[in-house]
Amino acid sequence: MISSGEVFLLNGETGGELRPQPGFLNKNLRVIAAGLDRAYVACEPPVRTQEEGQEERPQPCTVWCFKGDSQEAVECPEFETIDGRIRQIAIGDKHLLVLTHEGVVYSRGTATYGCVGHGGARDAPAFAPVPALRGKRVKLVAAGPYYSVAVTHEGDVYSWGQAFQGETGLFSSVEAVPRFAPAVTPFRVTEVSCGHGHVLARTESQQCISWGENTCGQLGLGQKSKPTYKPQLLETIPSQLLSVSAGWAHSVVVGTDGRAYAWGLNSHGQLGLGDTTTRMAPHLLHELVNVHQVQSAQAARTLTVFRTATKRALLCGQVPCGPNSQVSPEFVPRRPGEKDPAGCLLSPMPLTITAPTPCGSSVSELSEIVAYDKGVIGFATSTVYRVMPNLAPSVGGTIVQAKVTGLPFEYLGRKKRHQFADTETRPLVQDTIPAKVRLKSVSPMLDVVVAAKIVDVDTIEFTTPDVAQSPLGSVVDMNMTSAAVQLRVSIDGGFTWTPDRQAAPTADDLDRTARPLQKTSGKVRKNSMQRGLKEFRDDFEANRNAQTIADLGSMVLWITRWPPDGPSRLEPSCAPVTGGTELLLHCQLPTRMPAEALTVKFVCTPLYSVGDAALEASAPLKRDVNEVINPCRDEIARLPLATPLEVLVCGWLDPGGRGVRCISPPMDAESVKFYDYSVELSLDGKAFLKRSLPFSVFDMRVIGLEPNLGPLQEATEVTIKTTGFVQTDIQRVRLDFPKDLRWPSRLLPATFDHTTGEVSFMMPDLGAEVRQRVDEERAQHEALAAAVAAEDGTEPPAGESEAGGASVDLDGGLGGLEVFVELSLNGQNFTEDRIHFTYHSQLSAGVLEMLAPPEGVVIEPPKEDPKAKKGKSVVVEEPLEVVVLPGAKLGVELKAGTAESAFAVIRAGLATKVGDEEMQLLKVVDLPANLELLPPPPPPPAPPDPKDPKGAAPPPAPPPEDQQLRDMLTTLAPGVKAEDLPEGAILYMRDFQVSLNGKCFVPCLETQPMRLEPMPKEKKEDEN
C-alpha cells in the first residue's frame, strides 16, 4: 500500500470515536500494523517539489508508533536502518519483525525464548536480517507475544520462539532460530494471524486451520482440548474465507459472502453475539446478516473491529477507555435499548468518524483498519467524493473544484499572512504540493493529466482541458450525449493516484430512477392497505435508487457538447412579482446529463425612463440621489432608475425532455416597473449560454368586472378590469364557488382584445346545475309526501307531486349566487382579489309604462265640451296612441329576477312611419336604467255620478295603507333630432327589452308602440 489519505485513531482518550490525525496528511502511507499494546504507521517522506540543482536522494521510510492510550504518535528512528521498502510489520511483546518488498525479514528486540530468531538468547538492539531466512523470499510474517511465523513465496512455513502451547506448529517447545514447520506447510498458507497462544491461518483453498492453545475454545473444535501443534481444519464454517484474525483468546473469520463468524472467549462481548457466553465452535453473527457486508475483521484482547463494504467500522467488545480519560461514559457508544455491561458492546455497533474540521462532516471511507489491545487505527485512502460543477463542455475551459479526502492544507491567520506578505518565509504546505488531476475514461477512451492546486480543505481546483479531438469528444459531439469521466488526484507529482470511484451510472440506471411516483388516494378500500404499502415501498426504493445514482453522478465529471444557441423559448413568459411560477426553458440538451448544477439566472436590467415623471421620482436610485448634498446634475441625469440585479435559482430537467424547469423568484413590488427582465440558462452553474429570453414580471390586481352579474341559465360575456396588466399569450380565469356547494373550481379561457387592451371571458350558464338541483328537490318532496301517506295509511292524493313541485324553487336555490373570479396571465398564478360575479334568477318583465312627463313639463287635463248639457255624462275617448316626450320617465315592472345592478339597460327599437306605409326600423337604442321601488299607478278617474245634479265625479279613493311597492326598472325617453328623421315621418318606440347587465335581454310584455316626439329643430342665427 502506497497511498495518501487520512489516519484515524480510536483509543481510551477519543471517547469511542475515530478521530483524525492531521500529522499524517501530505504523506504517503506504506504500512499500518497493530498488535498487543501498540500500533505502527509507516510513511513515505513528506511530498515536496524538487528544487533546481538539488540532488534527488531517496529518503528512508518514517515509522510512527501509537502506544497505549496516547494520542500522540512517537517517531521511531530505529526503522531507518532497514535497507528496503517496508511491506509488513509484525508486533510481539518485546520484539518486532519487519518484512521488506524484497522478501527480507528483519527482527529487533529482546530474545525471550528466542523470538528474535538470531539464535540462542542473543538480543537484537537494532534491526538486522534474520540469518536463517537469508536467501528465502518471504511473503508474509506474523508474531505472537513470544513467537514468530514466516511464510515464503514457495509456501514454506517457518516458525520460532516459544511453543509451550504448540503455537509454532513445531513439536519442540522452544526454537531460537526459524525452523521449517512440516505440519503446516502442506496446507499452502496464504494468511497467518497470531493470538496469545493460538494461531489461525487461511489456506490456498480459502479454508481456516488453527493450532495452539484451546483452553477457551479458540481453536473452534467444538470443545476444550489440550494444546496441539498440529493444524486442525475447521470444516464447520460454510463459507470460503476472505480473512482470519486471532485475538488474545478468541478468533474471527470473514467469508467471501460478507458474513462473519466468531468463537472463543467472550468475557466482554468481543464475539459480537449479543451475550458474554464463550463459544467452542464458529458461530455466525446473525445481526450483521443482510445489514452489513463485512470485508475484514481484526481481533484484539477484548474487542473486535469489522470493516464493511460501505467502508465503515463496526466495534464489539470492550470500548477502549483509559484510566485518565476525560470523556464522560454517556458519550461512549452503546446499543440502544440494551443493558450491556458498562463500557462494552455485545453486538457490533458503527463507529463514528470525526470530521477533520469542527463544523464539517466526515465523508472519509476506511480502506484499512487494524486493532490492538488499547485501540483501533483506521486509514482512509484519499478519494474524490464530489465534483463541482460535475458537467463541462468538451472544448474545455471550465474551472472545476473536486472534493478529495485527506488533502494537506495549512491554515494561516489573516494577521500572520499580512506579516509574511513582504518578507521571505516558508511557503504554505498546499503551495508546495505538485497536485495533478487525471481524467480517465475507458469507453469512449480518454486519459489526460492536467495541473491542479489545493485551494481549501479537501478542495482541489483545475481547469478542464479541450478534449474535442479525442475519441470521447468525438462520440459526445456526434451523438449529442454526455460521457462520465473518472477523476483521480495525485499530490506527489503523479507517482500515486487516488483510486477510481464506483462506476458512473448507466443509461438503464437513469431510466429506472426516472419512474414517476404513484400517488395513492386517501380512501381506504378493500385490499387498499396492502396495495398502498407496496406502492410506498416501491416509491421509497425508487427515491433511494435515484439518490444513489445522483450521488454516483456527482463523483465523476461529465463531458458533453454544449448547446450552441441556448434556450429557444420560455413558457410561460411572465410571472407575478410574488414569484412561485414554474417556468420551462425549451432547450435541446444532451442525453444522460446530470442536473445538480443547472442554474437559471434572472437578469434585471434597469430602465432610464418610463415616460412618467411622477413615477420616475419614486424610483430607488432617484430617491437615493435626493439625499445627496450638492450632487452633480449631469451625472444624475445619466443614472438609471434602479441598480442592476441578478437573481439565481436552481433548475431541474423537464421529465418530458423538453428542457429545464425552474421556479421564478419573488421580486420587489415597488421596483418592478423600473426593470426589463430576461432569463439565462447555465448547465454547470458558472458559464451561461449565449441566448437570453425576454421575461415579464407583473404586479396585477383585479379591480372589477363589467358586468358583474348575469342570469343563471345564460352565458354572459364579462370584461375584467385590472391594474398592472401585461400582455401575454396565456390568459386563464378561475371561478371559485361557495364552499357549501362543494363544487370544484373551474378554469376558463380568456381572450385579449388588442384594440381595447382588455381581457374578457364567457361566464358559463348554470342551467344543468339548476335542473339537477330542481329535480333533486322535487324528488325529496315526493318522497316526503309518500312517507306521510304511508304513515297515515292512505294513498297520496292525486296531483300531490304537482302540488309539491309547485313549491320548488325553479332556480334550484342558486339565485343570488356569488362566484369569485380570479385572473392568471401565465396559467399558474391567479390573483387573490376576491372580486365576485352574481348570478340572478330568471328575469321576467311587465309592460313598459310612462311614469312621468319630462322635468318641468305639466300635462293639462282634458277640457270639458262646452256644448255638452249639464247633468249628462260625457264619454271621453282615450287616445289611440301614447305620446312620449324626450326626457319622459319610462318604467317597466320586474316580476322576478330582481337584483341591484349598475349595468341595467332598457332596449327600445326606434321606428319611423310615413303615411300609410309600414313602420321602418330606424335604430336600436340601449337606455341606462335604474332599479327603483315605486307604488302602483293610481286607478283611472271614476265617471260622473248621474244622480249628482251637478254631474261631478266622486273624489278618488285614498291609497291603501298596506300598499306594496313595485320593483321598477326606470329610464328616460331618448331624444331624437327632427332633422334625423325622414320628411313627414312619425317616430315610434317598440320591441322593448330589459337587461340587468347590458348583455342578456328579456322582452317586455307586448304593448302598443309609443309615439316619441322628436326634438325640435334648432333655429339658426340667420333665421333670427
Side-chain angles (χ1 to χ4, degrees), residues 205-208 234-242 253-261 284:
S205 60
Q206 295 182 320
Q207 291 179 299
C208 180
L234 302 183
E235 298 180 349
T236 57
I237 301 176
S239 304
Q240 290 185 319
L241 298 185
L242 191 63
V253 298
V254 176
T256 56
D257 55 2
R259 298 189 175 192
Y261 301 85
L284 173 66

Side-chain angles (χ1 to χ4, degrees), residues 329-521:
E330 57 264 20
F331 293 104
V332 176
R334 64 184 62 193
R335 291 196 303 162
E338 301 292 342
K339 296 183 179 180
D340 292 345
C344 296
L345 297 172
L346 302 187
S347 295
M349 287 293 295
L351 290 177
T352 301
I353 300 179
T354 307
T357 57
C359 299
S361 60
S362 177
V363 293
S364 302
E365 298 179 350
L366 298 174
S367 55
E368 191 170 348
I369 193 165
V370 294
Y372 59 106
D373 295 348
K374 296 295 184 178
V376 175
I377 294 288
F379 173 68
T381 304
S382 294
T383 54
V384 179
Y385 64 90
R386 188 168 182 81
V387 181
M388 303 180 301
N390 62 339
L391 184 70
S394 58
V395 295
T398 300
I399 298 177
V400 176
Q401 289 187 347
K403 291 292 185 177
V404 187
T405 61
L407 290 181
F409 187 81
E410 183 178 3
Y411 286 100
L412 186 61
R414 185 176 301 176
K415 182 177 180 181
K416 291 184 178 180
R417 185 178 293 273
H418 177 72
Q419 293 175 353
F420 296 158
D422 299 327
T423 60
E424 295 183 0
T425 183
R426 67 171 183 85
L428 298 178
V429 171
Q430 58 267 24
D431 297 333
T432 65
I433 293 178
K436 293 185 178 181
V437 174
R438 185 178 185 180
L439 286 71
K440 186 175 181 180
S441 172
V442 177
S443 178
M445 188 176 66
L446 178 69
D447 195 349
V448 180
V449 177
V450 296
K453 61 179 180 179
I454 300 175
V455 296
D456 203 346
V457 178
D458 286 359
T459 306
I460 195 166
E461 186 177 88
F462 66 98
T463 302
T464 58
D466 185 353
V467 297
Q469 304 302 320
S470 67
L472 181 139
S474 301
V475 172
V476 165
D477 292 344
M478 184 179 302
N479 299 330
M480 194 61 185
T481 185
S482 302
V485 176
Q486 297 278 358
L487 294 187
R488 304 181 67 183
V489 176
S490 172
I491 60 173
D492 55 9
F495 178 66
T496 59
W497 298 90
T498 58
D500 287 336
R501 297 291 306 191
Q502 303 179 33
T506 63
D508 294 337
D509 294 333
L510 297 179
D511 292 341
R512 285 199 304 271
T513 59
R515 181 183 67 85
L517 301 183
Q518 300 175 359
K519 295 183 179 180
T520 57
S521 63

